[in-house]
Structure formats: C-alpha cells, structure tokens
C-alpha cells in the first residue's frame, strides 16, 4: 500500500539517527498551555515569515486590536515573495504558481482590505452575464500538421501509435509506459530528486505525497510483492487528465492494456475491496456510463475516490472522477452520449507526426505528451476561470482551518461552528457570508476533525473537486476582463508555449535518459539563425583529451560561412580588428594565412571548459538554478538581469578555465601562430590611443616543457591587476587557458592520444550533436567543499522553514491536550497542511523541553540554527549525491526541431 508519512519519518530516523532516533521528548506535565498574543505572533514571524498559519494568527490578533494594517505592513516587509510579486491577479492566472503561494497572498488580501473583497459579484447569478464559451483564449497558430506528416510519409517514415493513445481524448495530457515497473521507478525517482531539488532551490522541504495519495485514491497497490504481478499481465499503462493541478485536486485516469484479463481483474477488484474496508466512511456503488458498467468506492473527503470500469475485456480504466471516466470511455467508444464523435489523441496528425520523430522502441520506456489542444485547454477561459474561483474558495477553506487551529490553541477545545470562530475573535468575519462566501455559492462547514474545512461545491481543502466536474458556464464582466488581460500578457510572453511538449524517458541501471524535441518555432528568426550557424552534420563534441581536473564543459559545433571570408579580408586590409586599430596594416600574405588558418587550420568546434579549483567567489549553482526557476514560474526578478553575466565574468577572471579548438592542419596552425607572434609583440609594445582605460599589454613566448611546443602568453594589466591568457597548440587541439598549468596537463595527456582511452580520458567522445553541456562530478575535488557547504546551507534553510508550522502544531497540542508525543504532532501537522515535512539532511524533529516548540536534531531551531559543513553522508541528500555519476546534455538543431537529450549517469 502507499507509504504513509510516518513511515518515511521512521525510515529517515532509522537511517540516520541510529539508536538515538527513538528518543523523543514528551512535553512535561508542568508545561502550561500558551495561547497566542499579538506580540508573540509578531516575534515568531520574524523567524518564520513564510508560514501562512503564523501570518493568519498575527493578522487576526492584529484585527482584534484594530492593527491589521500594521501587521500586514510588517508581513510585506518580511516576506520576499511579496516583494517579488505584488500583483495578485498575475499570480492567480500564473501558469506555474504553487497553490500555497497564491493562498498566502489571497489571505493577506482578505484579512486586510475593507470592502467587497475579491469574490465581488461572483456567484450572483444575475450579474454573471458573460458566457465563458464566448471568451477567446490566446490566438496562436498551430503547426501545419497535415503537411508536416505528409512530408514524413514521402520520406518513408510511418508513425506507429500504441494502443492506449487511441483511448484518450486529444485535449488531455497523456503519459504512457510499456511497463508498470518502469513507470513506478520514474515516479519514485521524480519524488526523490524533486523533493531535494525543491529543498535546494526554493527552500521548500516538504513533499506533497501526490503519487502516494493518488494511489490510495485510486485503490492501486504497488508494494514490492505486487509489483512483479503488473508486468506479467499488463501490456501498456497510461495516465491522462484534463489539467495539471495535481496538488490542489485534479482528475486523473489510469488505463491498463491487459494481457491476462481474468487474473488482472481478480487482483484489481481485490484492491477495491481492501480500499472499501480501509475506511469506515467508504461507500461502494455501481453505475453505468455510456452503457459501460462501473464500480465506485468513495469517501466524502475524496481520500478514496475510484471509478473502475472495463470497457473492453482487455482494457481497464480507473479514474478518480466520474466526469473524467465518462470523457475517457467516450474516447474509447469513439463518441459521446449524444453521438458526437470524439477526437482521440492517437488519431490526430499532430501526434502521428511526433511519432515519426520519436518512434516507439528501444529508446523509450515511457513518454509524456502535452498536445496542442491540451495546452489550449489549460490556458483557455473555462479552466482558468473555474480554477480561479476554486482558488478563492480554497483560500477560505485554508483560512477556516487556520481559524480553527487558532481557536483550539486559545481555548483548548475544538470549535463547534463557524459562528463560534467569528464570535471567539479567531476569524475576521463569518465564513460563508459577504466577502468570505464561496464564489460559486457553496456552503462552508468544519470537517469532523475540527481543524479542516469543506465546501459543498469545491470539496475538501486537502483534495478539491476536479475542475472538470465544476466547469464554469457564466462569469461576471469583471472576471471576463481579468481573463482578457491574462490573454494579452500571455500572447506577449508565451507565444512559443503552444508547441506540443513530448518527453521520452528511459531508465536503466546505468543511466536515466530524457529526450525532447522543440519544434521549429513558426516564423522564429532566432531558431533559424541558430540552426544555420550550428547546424550541419552532428559531431562527437567531447573528443579532445579531458584532463582529470575538468569539471564542466560547454561545446558547440559551428559553420564557417564562405561569404564571411571577404569581409574579414577587407577588415584586415583596413588594419582594424574587432574595432581597434592595429599598429600597421596586415600584409596580404599574412591575411591569406590567417584566413586559411580560420577556414582550414582549425576544426568546426569550440569548447569552454572549467577546471576544478576552490572558488574565490562563492557561486551557488543550485540557488542560481532556483532563481531561474522562480523567474520561469512568472515571478518578478528580485535582482537585475545584468548581475548574472557580470558575476560570471568576475568569477571566471581568475578561475582556471580554458577554450579548446580542435586542429585540422597542425602545420598550418603552427605557421600562423609564428606570424601572429610578430603582430602581438608589436601591439603589446605600442601604446597609443587605446581608449578610456589605461591598460598595460604584454606578450612573450616560453617553452611548455623541455622540447615541447612554445606557449604564448598575452597579458592585460590594469593597475595592480593582471589577467593572462596562455595559448598553444598541443597535439590535436589549439588551447587558450587562463593558467599555464592547464596547458601542461594537456601536454601530459598528449602521448596517450591515439591509444584510445588512456588515463585522464573520459570514456566515450560525448554526445554526437551540435552543442553540449557536460558536468563531470568524478573530477570534483577542490570545488567540492564549497559545493557541499552550499548544499548543507540550503538544506538547513529549507529545514528551518518547516519548524514554524511544526511548532504551531505543538503549541496547539499543548493547549488542547497538555502535551502529545512529537510523532503525533508531526502526523497532525502533515495532515493539516496536506504535505509531509522532512529534514533534507536526515535530521528528525522532536519537541524541545517545554513542549512548545519543534526542533531538528541536525539543524536546531530558527533562533539557534546549526549545521555541518556538508550534507551528512547517510542522509537521503547525501545518498542521492553519492549516486550522481554525471550529467550530459546534447542539443541537435535539425530541420524538424531542436532535439535535446539529457542523460544522468548513475553510480
Ligand atoms: Zn466553494
Ligand atoms: Zn533538519
């Protein structure tokens, strides 16, 4: 069965803590309940500014004293997210914003602003005058699929479409795998890496348990004993749904193409029985969609919600939503209830075209596909407006939950009604009325546990009703205007998003491989330009010797346009190069030589390589990626764009780096370098009219080793600072390096050339492509302590972010029951926030003496933080890093699009 949160805690404790892990403090009987005071809450906020519950407590207690605007002002100052993204409308429609981040913003808004609030006239039927169907989504052209597919057929490429692609509607996302085991491996991998990537990049050490919650909801068991069963009886598995709100609540349907129907159904029906028995509230029912009978098992909170049907003997469909089941069954049958034909993904020219580029076969264990109609759907008016209303309702449900927790902390007992929350000074008003009403007219109520809330229309806060079940028909003019505003902004920034997205996954014990194709953008000159300058026959991009201190490489292949020859020649004759004057014109012979050197002497590639060294400036790679991710998610930039290139430049000025160019004609290259020396020496010694900086130039040659090739050093000095570049041809490469020892290392590798993979050589020649990026963790030595420290710091920060919500749960337990074990507090906190809080560095959470606060065994508390100098080796994070054997990304610009392949080596 699906893993429970406490299993993970127990496992983490067992892995890390050893015998000490079982020791958990119980709050002493002497501990006193500690209701919140405003000062108390505001002081805690300075330590945990991102905790939405704490924000609620401070705002509400401020409200009681007429100080809510003052508290709101403090929150704005403390919370970085609001400084980044002050516009709530932008975040409501944002493509990737997480629900919890939007909720914080909405909560602040609801608690502070007087007046009608965001709900406005929503739900007032007379005011909903705009038919949603009449609103227009972003107008972006589709690719001419029919023509593109026809061209492929002419070239002899015929698409093979797997069976389940013919069972789903074309406007839903589609994930298919040939093996259930491989799918589970990818999901687990995604969960594990995802959790740690988020902890590292955005400081969030919680997992949403989406996959395990989904398995529980759909009554699908995947314990180790059951897993081999699937691959024996299942031919293909697919997952589909109509939106991507997995965390908040989405429709999910799983399809199984089955080899042994009787064996399979027996087992799957057994899971339904087990799910029914696992909850007293579970209800079994039977029904029928489009003539296909189904069995359902459901609980009111949707923690179990499964509709199971067999539209064909060897096809099983399992959905968490009846509406979604109907859509999929209609696709299987080919028509809806009223006889309208249903377009199936596998029949579209779009999907068939993609299948000619990515044929089924050895390189594919699974594929994720977001079609053009699906992308239109997720940015379309129906889904955007439905989910906006659901989001406003969700905010109220979370606020009711916060109010109930506050009530319980202040009074020591659970609230009986929403009125009691308002009367007890724990809510800013009566939930369900005026600006605190459900925008779709749903009724709010407290759930049986006394701390979570439900809406009769939108469901339970932990698992909202999927948007496809509550699609909005009519909207207010204000909503329509907001949507039009979104479309205008979308059309400005996201033109290209209308391409379908196809990602193929392959999992083997040695590596994970991801492959995607970005179709050539319609009328996009950037792509055309890149394809022209980088295109041509793809080449192995990592064929030059690799010293064993090379930690990071970027390489690209480029074309040399013939027409540039004459332009260059004219420039040389004019005695200017790169805009600066040469002391004298270049002799015609020398110009010839230089052009031959460029066109025939060196090859078609250039590589930039970074050497292992302790960094002078701390460049935090993962934080940088996180910043990129945040920007990508539509946040506003906190730092100026310009700072990145600048910081790279500063960091690289003194770091050991080199540029490598493969050599085609060694004799020609050497001859050119000899002639170049004459010019360089002259430039270095003539110092006239060189512009605004008083730069000192210098040039000299020295032998690399006893009888080795000469090294040239050209340097530029500015005051006391000097920057040198050393260059030489060594064997098959022409190298420019910032440190001399790099050339020495490269020369040492030379005798082994031609003998294949001698020492210092990386196995293989890298991807055959037009451009590549390669991270070589096997060479991380000097740089590693800095990386490790950065990771440990990020882990600590993410862990400390958890302590606010956990300590609030402890305070509540202390008030209500006079002390509860830490395990129970953690379980309740997980349940209240619908996530699992974990320490990325394997620490465990325990009660501090007094029972009021949760602290981490590895990181202490927010007020007294501590950490190690590296992630501990046995921690989940440490183990992940241990397995990381390298990452390579290859890019190939082809006529049919940009092919990107990412491989992650496993150790
Ligand atoms: Zn509602
Ligand atoms: Zn920790």
């Amino acid at each position: 069965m699906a893993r429970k949160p406490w299993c993970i805690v127990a496992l983490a404790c067992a892995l890390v803590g050893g015998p000490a892990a079982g020791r958990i403090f119980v709050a002493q009987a002497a501990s006193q309940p500690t209701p919140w005071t405003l000062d108390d809450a505001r002081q805690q906020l300075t330590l945990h500014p991102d905790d939405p519950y704490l924000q609620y407590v401070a705002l509400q207690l401020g409200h009681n004293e007429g100080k809510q605007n003052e508290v709101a002002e403090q929150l704005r100052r403390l919370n970085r997210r609001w400084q980044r993204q002050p516009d709530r409308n932008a975040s409501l429609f944002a493509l990737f914003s997480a629900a919890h981040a939007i909720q914080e913003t909405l909560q602040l808004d609801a608690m502070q602003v007087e007046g009608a609030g965001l709900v406005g006239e929503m739900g007032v039927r007379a005011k909903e005058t705009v038919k949603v169907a009449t609103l227009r989504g972003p107008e972006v052209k589709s690719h001419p699929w029919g023509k593109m597919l026809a061209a492929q057929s002419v070239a002899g490429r015929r698409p093979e479409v797997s069976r389940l692609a013919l069972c789903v509607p074309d406007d839903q996302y589609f994930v298919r795998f040939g093996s259930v085991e491989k799918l589970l491996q990818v999901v687990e991998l995604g969960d594990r890496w995802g959790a740690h990537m988020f902890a590292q990049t955005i400081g969030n050490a919680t997992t949403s348990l989406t996959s395990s919650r989904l398995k529980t909801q759909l009554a699908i068991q995947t314990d180790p004993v059951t897993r081999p069963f699937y691959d024996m009886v299942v031919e293909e598995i697919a997952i589909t749904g109509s939106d991507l709100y997995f965390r908040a609540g989405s429709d999910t349907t799983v399809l199984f193409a089955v080899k042994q129907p009787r064996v399979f159904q027996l087992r799957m029906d057994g899971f339904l029985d087990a799910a029914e028995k696992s909850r007293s509230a579970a209800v079994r029912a039977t029904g029928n969609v489009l003539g296909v009978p189904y069995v359902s098992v459901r609980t009111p909170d949707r923690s179990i919600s499964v509709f199971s049907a067999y539209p064909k003997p060897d096809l099983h469909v399992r959905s968490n939503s009846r509406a979604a089941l109907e859509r999929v069954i209609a696709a299987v049958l080919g028509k809806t209830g009223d006889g309208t034909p249903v377009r199936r993904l596998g029949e579209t020219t779009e999907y068939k075209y993609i299948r000619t580029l990515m044929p089924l076969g050895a390189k594919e264990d699974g594929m994720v596909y977001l079609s053009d109609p699906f992308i239109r759907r997720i940015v379309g008016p129906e889904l955007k407006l439905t989910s906006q209303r659901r989001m406003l309702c969700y905010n109220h449900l979370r606020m009711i939950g916060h109010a109930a927790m506050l009530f319980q902390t202040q009074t020591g007992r659970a609230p009986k009604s929403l009125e009691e929350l308002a009367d007890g000074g724990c809510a800013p008003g009566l939930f369900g009325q005026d600006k605190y009403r459900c925008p779709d007219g749903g009724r709010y109520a407290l759930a049986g546990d006394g701390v979570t809330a439900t809406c009769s229309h939108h469901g339970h806060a932990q698992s909202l009703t999927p948007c496809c079940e509550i699609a909005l028909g009519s909207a207010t003019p204000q909503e329509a205007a907001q949507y039009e505003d979104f479309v205008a902004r979308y059309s400005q920034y996201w033109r290209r998003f209308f391409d379908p997205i196809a990602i193929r996954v392959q999992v083997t014990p040695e590596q994970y491989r991801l492959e995607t194709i970005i179709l050539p953008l319609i009328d996009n000159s950037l792509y055309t330009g890149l394809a022209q300058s980088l295109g041509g026959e793809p080449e192995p991009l990592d064929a030059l010797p690799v010293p064993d201190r090379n930690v990071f490489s970027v390489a690209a292949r480029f074309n040399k346009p013939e027409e540039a020859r004459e332009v260059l020649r004219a420039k040389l004759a004019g005695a200017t190069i790169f805009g600066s004057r040469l002391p004298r014109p270049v002799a015609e012979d020398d110009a010839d030589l230089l052009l031959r050197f460029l066109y025939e002497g060196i090859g078609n590639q250039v590589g930039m390589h970074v050497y292992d060294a302790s960094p002078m400036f701390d460049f935090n790679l993962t934080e940088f990626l996180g910043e990129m991710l945040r920007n990508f998610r539509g946040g506003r930039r906190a730092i100026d764009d310009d700072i990145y290139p600048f910081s790279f430049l500063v960091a690289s000025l003194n770091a050991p780096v080199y540029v490598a160019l493969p050599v085609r004609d060694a004799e020609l290259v050497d001859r050119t370098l000899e002639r170049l020396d004459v010019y360089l020496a002259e430039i270095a010694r003539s110092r006239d009219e060189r512009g605004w900086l008083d730069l000192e130039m210098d040039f000299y040659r020295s032998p690399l080793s006893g009888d080795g090739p000469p090294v040239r050093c050209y340097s530029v000095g500015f005051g006391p600072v000097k920057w040198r570049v050393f260059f030489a041809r060594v064997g098959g490469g022409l190298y420019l390096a910032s440190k001399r020892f790099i050339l020495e290392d490269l020369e040492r590798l030379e005798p082994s050339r031609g003998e294949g993979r001698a020492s210092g050589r990386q196995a293989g020649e890298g991807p055959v492509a037009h451009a590549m990026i390669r991270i070589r963790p096997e060479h991380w030595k000097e740089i590693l302590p800095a990386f490790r420290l950065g990771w440990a710091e990020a882990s600590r920060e993410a862990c400390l972010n958890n302590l606010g919500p956990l300590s609030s749960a402890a305070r509540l337990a202390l008030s209500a029951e006079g002390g509860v074990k830490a395990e129970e507090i953690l379980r309740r906190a997980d349940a209240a926030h619908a996530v699992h809080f974990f320490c990325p560095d394997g620490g465990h959470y325990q009660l501090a003496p007094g029972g009021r606060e949760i602290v981490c065994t590895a990181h202490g508390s927010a007020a007294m933080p501590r950490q190690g100098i590296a992630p501990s080796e046995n921690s989940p994070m440490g183990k992940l890093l241990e397995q990381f054997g390298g990452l390579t990304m290859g890019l190939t610009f082809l006529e049919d699009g940009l092919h990107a392949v990412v491989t992650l080596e496993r150790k």
Side-chain angles (χ1 to χ4, degrees):
M1 195 58 249
R3 287 175 302 167
K4 295 279 188 322
W6 60 265
C7 285
I8 300 171
V9 176
L11 186 69
C13 291
L15 280 173
V16 173
R23 237 191 296 131
I24 288 167
F25 293 102
V26 179
Q28 290 123 20
S31 303
Q32 292 301 310
T34 43
W36 288 104
T37 63
L38 178 57
D39 286 344
D40 200 4
R42 290 178 75 167
Q43 199 257 319
Q44 283 295 307
L45 263 180
T46 57
L47 292 172
H48 302 289
D50 296 333
D51 178 359
Y53 170 65
L54 211 50
Q55 291 167 4
Y56 180 88
V57 171
L59 285 164
Q60 178 56 36
L61 297 179
H63 177 90
N64 294 348
E65 297 179 22
K67 291 182 184 167
Q68 68 265 42
N69 289 349
E70 195 183 306
V71 176
E73 199 40 52
Q74 182 194 2
L75 285 180
R76 284 217 170 78
R77 268 201 320 275
L78 288 171
N79 191 307
R80 267 182 294 171
R81 205 155 25 218
W82 285 321
Q83 289 156 16
R84 278 173 214 275
Q85 194 169 23
D87 180 2
R88 64 168 189 258
N89 286 330
S91 62
L92 260 175
F93 278 129
L95 288 171
F96 298 102
S97 286
H100 65 92
I102 302 175
Q103 193 263 324
E104 270 181 37
T105 314
L106 293 177
Q107 174 173 284
L108 178 69
D109 218 88
M111 307 270 305
Q112 188 198 2
V113 179
E114 302 299 326
L118 290 173
V119 174
E121 290 172 336
M122 292 178 196
V124 182
R125 297 294 171 234
K127 304 278 186 183
E128 294 178 337
T129 54
V130 184
K131 290 259 168 291
V132 173
T134 62
L135 294 173
R136 299 178 78 105
E139 285 176 40
V140 178
K141 277 187 282 183
S142 293
H143 291 272
W145 301 114
K147 246 174 27 191
M148 288 156 73
L149 182 61
Q152 291 292 79
S153 331
V154 170
R157 283 188 281 269
R158 303 212 171 272
E160 191 193 339
V161 173
S162 71
R163 185 180 158 197
L164 292 181
L166 292 164
C167 298
V168 298
D170 69 342
D171 62 347
Q172 300 204 155
Y173 71 82
F174 177 63
V175 178
R176 76 157 290 276
F177 272 76
S179 139
V180 178
E181 176 61 35
K182 296 274 188 188
L183 170 63
L184 291 170
Q185 284 181 22
V186 170
V187 168
E188 282 157 15
L189 185 79
D191 281 353
R192 230 171 334 136
W193 276 94
H196 287 282
M197 280 317 284
F198 280 123
Q200 284 292 318
T201 54
I202 58 174
N204 181 350
T206 62
T207 52
S208 60
L209 305 174
T210 305
S211 55
S212 70
R213 270 170 44 197
L214 197 61
K215 284 188 273 186
T216 309
Q217 202 175 35
L218 290 171
I220 294 176
Q221 297 188 18
T222 57
D223 54 274
V225 187
T226 310
R227 286 169 76 141
F229 150 78
Y230 287 108
D231 280 349
M232 270 160 25
V233 296
V234 175
E235 222 162 49
E236 189 187 6
I237 179 170
I239 304 172
T240 183
S242 61
D243 63 55
L244 300 173
Y245 300 115
F246 299 113
R247 249 177 121 145
S250 174
D251 61 301
T252 310
T253 305
V254 185
L255 297 93
F256 297 86
V258 183
K259 284 184 269 193
Q260 299 179 47
R262 299 247 297 274
V263 183
F264 178 80
Q265 186 167 354
L266 198 67
R267 194 68 164 256
M268 296 305 281
D269 288 351
F271 296 157
L272 284 184
D273 296 340
E276 187 187 348
K277 288 190 190 107
S278 71
R279 303 270 201 296
S280 57
V283 176
R284 176 188 281 259
T286 55
N288 170 321
V289 275
L290 307 172
V292 175
Y294 69 80
V295 177
S296 69
V297 177
R298 305 170 69 195
T299 58
D301 65 358
R302 265 190 125 96
S303 64
I304 296 174
S305 176
V306 48
F307 294 81
S308 156
Y310 293 85
K312 290 177 183 165
D314 56 354
L315 176 66
H316 176 45
V317 183
R318 214 164 240 235
S319 182
N320 67 358
S321 154
R322 193 186 178 282
L325 180 76
E326 188 168 335
R327 281 182 61 96
V328 170
I329 293 209
V332 172
L333 301 177
K335 57 179 194 296
T336 60
D338 59 13
T340 318
V342 174
R343 282 223 305 174
R344 300 181 275 210
L345 182 67
E347 292 167 346
T348 60
T349 48
E350 168 197 340
Y351 187 74
K352 285 185 192 160
Y353 174 75
I354 294 292
R355 274 304 187 191
T356 61
L357 304 185
M358 290 182 158
L360 279 166
K363 283 181 179 163
E364 174 173 320
D365 285 330
M367 169 151 139
V368 177
Y369 192 73
L370 310 185
S371 67
D372 177 319
F374 174 71
I375 292 167
R376 281 176 202 275
R377 180 186 175 82
I378 61 174
V379 297
E382 182 186 291
L383 186 62
K384 280 286 168 205
L385 291 173
T386 305
S387 71
Q388 170 172 253
R389 286 197 178 186
R390 194 177 73 159
M391 191 65 223
L392 293 174
C393 177
Y394 172 74
N395 173 45
H396 291 160
L397 297 178
R398 289 305 302 266
M399 285 173 70
I400 297 172
H402 292 159
M405 273 174 72
L406 176 62
F407 185 91
Q408 215 165 340
T409 312
Q410 305 302 74
T411 65
R413 67 177 177 83
K416 292 193 188 72
S417 66
L418 299 176
E419 284 79 11
E420 204 174 38
L421 292 178
D423 298 341
C426 292
L430 183 57
F431 286 108
Q433 300 233 314
D434 302 327
K435 69 179 200 178
Y436 300 112
R437 68 196 163 79
C438 168
D440 261 323
R443 266 173 301 102
Y444 293 150
L446 281 166
D449 61 5
V451 286
T452 55
T454 60
C455 167
S456 60
H457 186 73
H458 292 106
H460 203 276
Q462 320 292 34
S463 184
L464 296 171
T465 307
C467 289
C468 70
E469 291 181 18
I470 48 171
L472 194 63
S474 304
T476 64
Q478 197 196 357
E479 286 174 287
Q482 281 171 358
Y483 180 72
E484 275 158 15
D485 193 44
F486 160 76
V487 170
R489 255 176 303 147
Y490 181 99
S491 311
Q492 223 176 328
Y493 297 114
W494 287 92
R495 267 187 73 91
R496 66 203 182 85
F497 202 71
F498 263 74
D499 286 306
I501 296 171
I503 300 168
R504 301 215 275 185
V505 190
Q506 189 194 29
V507 187
T508 66
E510 296 79 36
Q511 67 174 30
Y512 306 115
R513 181 179 186 278
L514 284 178
E515 179 188 359
T516 187
I517 296 179
I518 298 157
L519 295 174
L521 312 173
I522 299 175
D523 307 327
N524 186 300
S525 52
L526 179 69
Y527 182 84
T528 323
L530 274 174
Q532 265 169 13
S533 48
L534 299 178
E537 195 61 32
E539 297 173 4
L541 289 172
D542 204 15
L544 284 172
V546 176
D548 56 13
R549 285 179 62 191
N550 179 324
V551 291
F552 177 79
S553 303
V554 186
R557 177 204 180 282
F558 55 88
N559 289 324
K560 300 171 185 167
E562 266 316 303
E563 57 278 15
R565 242 182 220 265
E566 291 316 309
V567 180
L568 268 173
R569 186 189 296 279
K571 291 220 166 185
L572 290 172
T576 51
I577 196 155
F578 303 124
S580 49
R581 281 197 80 72
L582 295 176
R584 63 183 166 100
V586 178
E588 202 163 317
D589 286 359
D590 293 336
D592 271 345
L593 186 66
L594 196 60
L595 287 170
R596 279 191 59 212
F597 159 81
L598 290 174
Y599 278 82
E600 291 133 45
I602 54 172
N604 279 340
Q605 288 182 20
V606 59
M608 222 289 283
H609 306 267
V610 179
Y611 239 51
D612 182 37
S614 169
M616 275 183 71
F617 298 91
D618 202 337
F619 176 71
N620 189 328
L621 181 71
T622 38
E623 195 175 285
F624 169 71
L625 293 173
E627 191 63 39
M628 305 270 288
L629 187 72
R630 257 193 293 261
N631 289 330
F632 178 69
R633 287 159 64 118
R636 175 183 271 210
R637 282 167 194 259
I639 317 171
D640 215 73
D641 289 343
D642 303 341
I643 205 156
Y644 286 116
F646 182 71
S647 63
F648 272 119
L649 186 71
V650 168
S652 67
L653 267 183
N654 220 7
V657 293
Y658 70 96
V659 172
L661 302 151
V663 166
R664 249 191 241 154
D665 183 339
E667 188 272 331
L668 178 58
V669 169
D670 287 348
R671 200 141 47 84
T672 314
L673 290 180
E674 291 289 334
R675 284 303 300 158
L676 199 60
D677 289 350
V678 177
Y679 287 90
L680 287 176
E682 275 183 27
I683 296 171
R685 297 204 56 88
S686 70
R687 47 184 72 181
D688 54 328
E689 56 190 285
R690 214 164 279 120
W692 48 279
L693 276 180
D694 189 14
L695 297 175
E696 296 275 340
M697 310 274 192
D698 196 8
F699 172 76
Y700 59 88
R701 295 167 46 150
S702 69
L704 187 53
S705 56
D707 55 348
V711 175
R712 279 88 171 169
C713 174
Y714 196 89
S715 70
V716 177
F718 177 61
V721 184
K722 198 168 202 182
W723 191 71
R724 299 182 181 84
V725 55
F726 298 89
F727 58 100
R729 179 187 70 80
V730 181
L734 175 63
Y735 301 98
L736 292 87
S738 67
K739 301 281 173 204
R740 194 188 150 92
F741 61 74
I742 298 174
L743 297 178
E744 288 164 6
D745 286 355
L746 285 160
E747 200 208 4
R748 264 196 298 281
L749 290 174
E750 243 351 87
S752 60
R753 260 174 58 77
E755 292 163 25
R757 278 133 214 185
S759 72
R761 252 324 273 286
Q762 172 117 348
E765 298 186 317
V768 176
H770 292 137
M772 73 145 206
I773 292 174
R774 194 158 195 167
I775 300 175
R776 310 175 201 267
E778 69 275 23
H779 295 163
W780 292 353
K781 283 187 189 70
E782 286 179 38
I783 208 164
L784 203 51
F787 276 173
R788 285 199 176 122
L789 183 64
W791 292 325
E793 285 170 351
S795 290
R796 174 186 43 75
E797 226 182 299
C799 175
L800 296 182
N801 287 344
N802 287 345
L803 297 180
L806 294 176
S807 295
S808 295
R811 188 187 280 252
L812 180 139
L814 191 62
S815 292
E817 290 133 300
V820 174
K821 281 190 174 175
E823 280 168 325
E824 178 58 18
I825 291 170
L826 298 180
R827 197 192 58 73
R828 289 186 197 173
D830 282 359
H833 295 268
V835 294
H836 169 59
F837 295 99
F838 70 99
C839 169
D841 211 4
H844 51 277
Y845 294 128
Q846 53 181 217
L847 271 169
R852 243 200 295 177
E853 200 189 358
I854 294 278
V855 295
C856 172
T857 51
H859 298 120
S861 66
M864 289 282 269
R866 61 169 198 272
Q867 67 165 74
I869 56 164
S872 74
E873 255 171 54
N874 289 319
S875 70
M877 174 79 193
K879 289 196 169 157
L880 268 189
L881 291 173
E882 192 62 29
Q883 290 170 12
F884 177 50
L887 183 130
T888 307
M889 179 158 99
L891 298 176
T892 315
F893 293 82
L894 297 181
E895 215 172 290
D896 55 29
L898 168 61
H899 293 235
V901 176
V902 178
T903 43
L904 202 138
E905 308 294 331
R906 303 165 72 177
K907 275 199 291 202

